[in-house]
mmCIF file of all heavy atoms in Angstrom:
data_model
loop_
_atom_site.group_PDB
_atom_site.id
_atom_site.type_symbol
_atom_site.label_atom_id
_atom_site.label_comp_id
_atom_site.label_asym_id
_atom_site.label_seq_id
_atom_site.Cartn_x
_atom_site.Cartn_y
_atom_site.Cartn_z
ATOM 1 N N CYS A 119 1.581 -3.466 -0.649
ATOM 2 C CA CYS A 119 0.843 -4.582 -1.253
ATOM 3 C C CYS A 119 -0.582 -4.554 -0.952
ATOM 4 O O CYS A 119 -1.042 -4.404 0.141
ATOM 5 C CB CYS A 119 1.437 -5.873 -0.537
ATOM 6 S SG CYS A 119 0.766 -7.383 -1.184
ATOM 7 N N LEU A 120 -1.338 -4.510 -2.055
ATOM 8 C CA LEU A 120 -2.786 -4.422 -1.998
ATOM 9 C C LEU A 120 -3.366 -5.836 -2.225
ATOM 10 O O LEU A 120 -3.020 -6.529 -3.181
ATOM 11 C CB LEU A 120 -3.399 -3.527 -3.077
ATOM 12 C CG LEU A 120 -2.819 -2.036 -2.983
ATOM 13 C CD1 LEU A 120 -3.325 -1.299 -4.249
ATOM 14 C CD2 LEU A 120 -3.330 -1.403 -1.874
ATOM 15 N N VAL A 121 -4.274 -6.243 -1.334
ATOM 16 C CA VAL A 121 -4.730 -7.645 -1.330
ATOM 17 C C VAL A 121 -6.315 -7.569 -1.545
ATOM 18 O O VAL A 121 -6.990 -6.777 -0.817
ATOM 19 C CB VAL A 121 -4.466 -8.356 -0.054
ATOM 20 C CG1 VAL A 121 -4.971 -9.828 -0.196
ATOM 21 C CG2 VAL A 121 -2.991 -8.401 0.189
ATOM 22 N N GLY A 122 -6.865 -8.179 -2.576
ATOM 23 C CA GLY A 122 -8.231 -8.227 -2.765
ATOM 24 C C GLY A 122 -8.640 -9.313 -3.707
ATOM 25 O O GLY A 122 -7.727 -9.965 -4.319
ATOM 26 N N GLY A 123 -9.852 -9.472 -3.882
ATOM 27 C CA GLY A 123 -10.441 -10.572 -4.725
ATOM 28 C C GLY A 123 -10.839 -10.071 -6.153
ATOM 29 O O GLY A 123 -11.104 -11.022 -6.978
ATOM 30 N N ASP A 124 -10.905 -8.830 -6.385
ATOM 31 C CA ASP A 124 -11.386 -8.250 -7.611
ATOM 32 C C ASP A 124 -10.066 -8.040 -8.550
ATOM 33 O O ASP A 124 -9.134 -7.388 -8.161
ATOM 34 C CB ASP A 124 -12.056 -6.945 -7.558
ATOM 35 C CG ASP A 124 -13.449 -7.212 -6.797
ATOM 36 O OD1 ASP A 124 -13.895 -8.305 -6.889
ATOM 37 O OD2 ASP A 124 -13.909 -6.261 -6.199
ATOM 38 N N SER A 125 -10.152 -8.568 -9.793
ATOM 39 C CA SER A 125 -8.992 -8.379 -10.683
ATOM 40 C C SER A 125 -8.863 -6.957 -11.118
ATOM 41 O O SER A 125 -7.679 -6.536 -11.482
ATOM 42 C CB SER A 125 -9.145 -9.302 -11.916
ATOM 43 O OG SER A 125 -10.389 -8.985 -12.674
ATOM 44 N N ASP A 126 -9.919 -6.113 -11.038
ATOM 45 C CA ASP A 126 -9.737 -4.729 -11.451
ATOM 46 C C ASP A 126 -8.986 -3.925 -10.494
ATOM 47 O O ASP A 126 -8.563 -2.874 -10.764
ATOM 48 C CB ASP A 126 -11.091 -4.071 -11.625
ATOM 49 C CG ASP A 126 -11.961 -4.166 -10.380
ATOM 50 O OD1 ASP A 126 -11.488 -4.824 -9.346
ATOM 51 O OD2 ASP A 126 -13.061 -3.492 -10.297
ATOM 52 N N LEU A 127 -8.607 -4.507 -9.273
ATOM 53 C CA LEU A 127 -7.707 -3.820 -8.293
ATOM 54 C C LEU A 127 -6.365 -3.649 -8.990
ATOM 55 O O LEU A 127 -5.743 -2.598 -8.652
ATOM 56 C CB LEU A 127 -7.535 -4.733 -7.097
ATOM 57 C CG LEU A 127 -6.749 -4.115 -5.996
ATOM 58 C CD1 LEU A 127 -7.266 -2.808 -5.444
ATOM 59 C CD2 LEU A 127 -6.678 -5.117 -4.813
ATOM 60 N N LEU A 128 -5.928 -4.465 -9.851
ATOM 61 C CA LEU A 128 -4.676 -4.334 -10.499
ATOM 62 C C LEU A 128 -4.681 -3.062 -11.404
ATOM 63 O O LEU A 128 -3.652 -2.275 -11.321
ATOM 64 C CB LEU A 128 -4.350 -5.550 -11.340
ATOM 65 C CG LEU A 128 -2.926 -5.686 -11.919
ATOM 66 C CD1 LEU A 128 -1.823 -5.486 -10.860
ATOM 67 C CD2 LEU A 128 -2.716 -6.919 -12.761
ATOM 68 N N LEU A 129 -5.706 -2.928 -12.168
ATOM 69 C CA LEU A 129 -5.739 -1.701 -13.068
ATOM 70 C C LEU A 129 -5.953 -0.410 -12.223
ATOM 71 O O LEU A 129 -5.405 0.643 -12.514
ATOM 72 C CB LEU A 129 -6.858 -1.820 -14.053
ATOM 73 C CG LEU A 129 -6.775 -2.919 -15.132
ATOM 74 C CD1 LEU A 129 -7.981 -2.985 -16.041
ATOM 75 C CD2 LEU A 129 -5.495 -2.827 -15.935
ATOM 76 N N MET A 130 -6.680 -0.527 -11.147
ATOM 77 C CA MET A 130 -6.932 0.698 -10.247
ATOM 78 C C MET A 130 -5.603 1.100 -9.644
ATOM 79 O O MET A 130 -5.245 2.232 -9.433
ATOM 80 C CB MET A 130 -7.953 0.331 -9.186
ATOM 81 C CG MET A 130 -9.308 0.152 -9.781
ATOM 82 S SD MET A 130 -10.544 -0.535 -8.546
ATOM 83 C CE MET A 130 -10.673 0.906 -7.416
ATOM 84 N N ALA A 131 -4.777 0.078 -9.224
ATOM 85 C CA ALA A 131 -3.514 0.432 -8.628
ATOM 86 C C ALA A 131 -2.530 0.962 -9.574
ATOM 87 O O ALA A 131 -1.687 1.800 -9.320
ATOM 88 C CB ALA A 131 -2.938 -0.914 -8.048
ATOM 89 N N ALA A 132 -2.694 0.551 -10.865
ATOM 90 C CA ALA A 132 -1.812 1.114 -11.945
ATOM 91 C C ALA A 132 -2.045 2.598 -12.163
ATOM 92 O O ALA A 132 -1.195 3.415 -12.544
ATOM 93 C CB ALA A 132 -2.000 0.366 -13.290
ATOM 94 N N ALA A 133 -3.278 3.007 -11.929
ATOM 95 C CA ALA A 133 -3.683 4.459 -12.130
ATOM 96 C C ALA A 133 -3.337 5.295 -10.838
ATOM 97 O O ALA A 133 -3.457 6.468 -10.878
ATOM 98 C CB ALA A 133 -5.122 4.552 -12.467
ATOM 99 N N CYS A 134 -2.996 4.566 -9.805
ATOM 100 C CA CYS A 134 -2.641 5.274 -8.481
ATOM 101 C C CYS A 134 -1.150 5.544 -8.369
ATOM 102 O O CYS A 134 -0.366 4.612 -8.738
ATOM 103 C CB CYS A 134 -3.145 4.543 -7.280
ATOM 104 S SG CYS A 134 -2.844 5.261 -5.719
ATOM 105 N N ARG A 135 -0.723 6.618 -7.929
ATOM 106 C CA ARG A 135 0.641 6.930 -7.845
ATOM 107 C C ARG A 135 1.052 6.882 -6.324
ATOM 108 O O ARG A 135 0.418 7.570 -5.497
ATOM 109 C CB ARG A 135 0.947 8.362 -8.344
ATOM 110 C CG ARG A 135 0.738 8.440 -9.854
ATOM 111 C CD ARG A 135 1.817 7.544 -10.552
ATOM 112 N NE ARG A 135 1.596 7.449 -11.978
ATOM 113 C CZ ARG A 135 1.028 6.508 -12.661
ATOM 114 N NH1 ARG A 135 0.436 5.519 -11.939
ATOM 115 N NH2 ARG A 135 0.830 6.491 -14.021
ATOM 116 N N ALA A 136 2.077 6.176 -6.029
ATOM 117 C CA ALA A 136 2.539 6.003 -4.680
ATOM 118 C C ALA A 136 4.053 6.279 -4.621
ATOM 119 O O ALA A 136 4.730 6.248 -5.662
ATOM 120 C CB ALA A 136 2.261 4.570 -4.165
ATOM 121 N N ASP A 137 4.522 6.568 -3.397
ATOM 122 C CA ASP A 137 5.936 6.830 -3.247
ATOM 123 C C ASP A 137 6.799 5.602 -3.492
ATOM 124 O O ASP A 137 8.016 5.839 -3.901
ATOM 125 C CB ASP A 137 6.155 7.461 -1.906
ATOM 126 C CG ASP A 137 5.535 8.787 -1.752
ATOM 127 O OD1 ASP A 137 5.127 9.487 -2.718
ATOM 128 O OD2 ASP A 137 5.145 9.123 -0.542
ATOM 129 N N GLY A 138 6.371 4.501 -3.156
ATOM 130 C CA GLY A 138 7.265 3.291 -3.292
ATOM 131 C C GLY A 138 6.690 2.282 -4.263
ATOM 132 O O GLY A 138 5.551 2.477 -4.832
ATOM 133 N N PRO A 139 7.297 1.157 -4.425
ATOM 134 C CA PRO A 139 6.861 0.066 -5.280
ATOM 135 C C PRO A 139 5.563 -0.472 -4.811
ATOM 136 O O PRO A 139 5.204 -0.556 -3.597
ATOM 137 C CB PRO A 139 7.900 -0.999 -5.198
ATOM 138 C CG PRO A 139 9.161 -0.295 -4.752
ATOM 139 C CD PRO A 139 8.699 0.798 -3.835
ATOM 140 N N VAL A 140 4.631 -0.836 -5.718
ATOM 141 C CA VAL A 140 3.330 -1.403 -5.459
ATOM 142 C C VAL A 140 3.077 -2.711 -6.030
ATOM 143 O O VAL A 140 3.397 -2.919 -7.207
ATOM 144 C CB VAL A 140 2.198 -0.441 -5.926
ATOM 145 C CG1 VAL A 140 0.744 -0.967 -5.596
ATOM 146 C CG2 VAL A 140 2.312 1.070 -5.316
ATOM 147 N N PHE A 141 2.587 -3.643 -5.252
ATOM 148 C CA PHE A 141 2.254 -4.941 -5.664
ATOM 149 C C PHE A 141 0.810 -5.215 -5.320
ATOM 150 O O PHE A 141 0.276 -4.734 -4.427
ATOM 151 C CB PHE A 141 3.159 -6.071 -4.983
ATOM 152 C CG PHE A 141 4.582 -5.951 -5.483
ATOM 153 C CD1 PHE A 141 5.516 -5.053 -4.760
ATOM 154 C CD2 PHE A 141 5.081 -6.750 -6.463
ATOM 155 C CE1 PHE A 141 6.784 -5.030 -5.045
ATOM 156 C CE2 PHE A 141 6.539 -6.630 -6.730
ATOM 157 C CZ PHE A 141 7.257 -5.830 -6.119
ATOM 158 N N VAL A 142 0.209 -6.058 -6.190
ATOM 159 C CA VAL A 142 -1.194 -6.431 -5.929
ATOM 160 C C VAL A 142 -1.298 -7.995 -5.773
ATOM 161 O O VAL A 142 -0.762 -8.752 -6.656
ATOM 162 C CB VAL A 142 -2.162 -5.914 -7.194
ATOM 163 C CG1 VAL A 142 -3.497 -6.538 -6.904
ATOM 164 C CG2 VAL A 142 -2.115 -4.474 -7.181
ATOM 165 N N MET A 143 -1.811 -8.403 -4.651
ATOM 166 C CA MET A 143 -2.104 -9.874 -4.533
ATOM 167 C C MET A 143 -3.537 -10.173 -4.695
ATOM 168 O O MET A 143 -4.359 -9.735 -3.844
ATOM 169 C CB MET A 143 -1.607 -10.194 -2.994
ATOM 170 C CG MET A 143 -1.651 -11.662 -2.708
ATOM 171 S SD MET A 143 -1.156 -12.035 -1.019
ATOM 172 C CE MET A 143 0.637 -11.640 -1.124
ATOM 173 N N VAL A 144 -3.816 -10.851 -5.699
ATOM 174 C CA VAL A 144 -5.202 -11.232 -6.087
ATOM 175 C C VAL A 144 -5.501 -12.554 -5.286
ATOM 176 O O VAL A 144 -4.972 -13.543 -5.518
ATOM 177 C CB VAL A 144 -5.410 -11.323 -7.596
ATOM 178 C CG1 VAL A 144 -6.923 -11.778 -7.879
ATOM 179 C CG2 VAL A 144 -5.133 -10.058 -8.267
ATOM 180 N N ASP A 145 -6.479 -12.434 -4.353
ATOM 181 C CA ASP A 145 -6.821 -13.575 -3.567
ATOM 182 C C ASP A 145 -8.197 -14.076 -3.950
ATOM 183 O O ASP A 145 -9.162 -13.288 -3.733
ATOM 184 C CB ASP A 145 -6.766 -13.178 -2.047
ATOM 185 C CG ASP A 145 -7.150 -14.371 -1.130
ATOM 186 O OD1 ASP A 145 -6.651 -15.474 -1.318
ATOM 187 O OD2 ASP A 145 -8.116 -14.101 -0.402
#
């Protein structure tokens, strides 16, 4: 789970490959 205030974090996480499921919490 990635937590941040920038909405572009969601697109950056989509371009990143991880071993497990990834969620983004926009705060």
Side-chain angles (χ1 to χ4, degrees):
C119 183
L120 302 171
V121 183
D124 293 336
S125 58
D126 59 354
L127 181 60
L128 187 59
L129 295 178
M130 295 169 67
C134 180
R135 294 295 176 260
D137 294 336
V140 180
F141 294 86
V142 174
M143 185 181 294
V144 179
D145 175 54

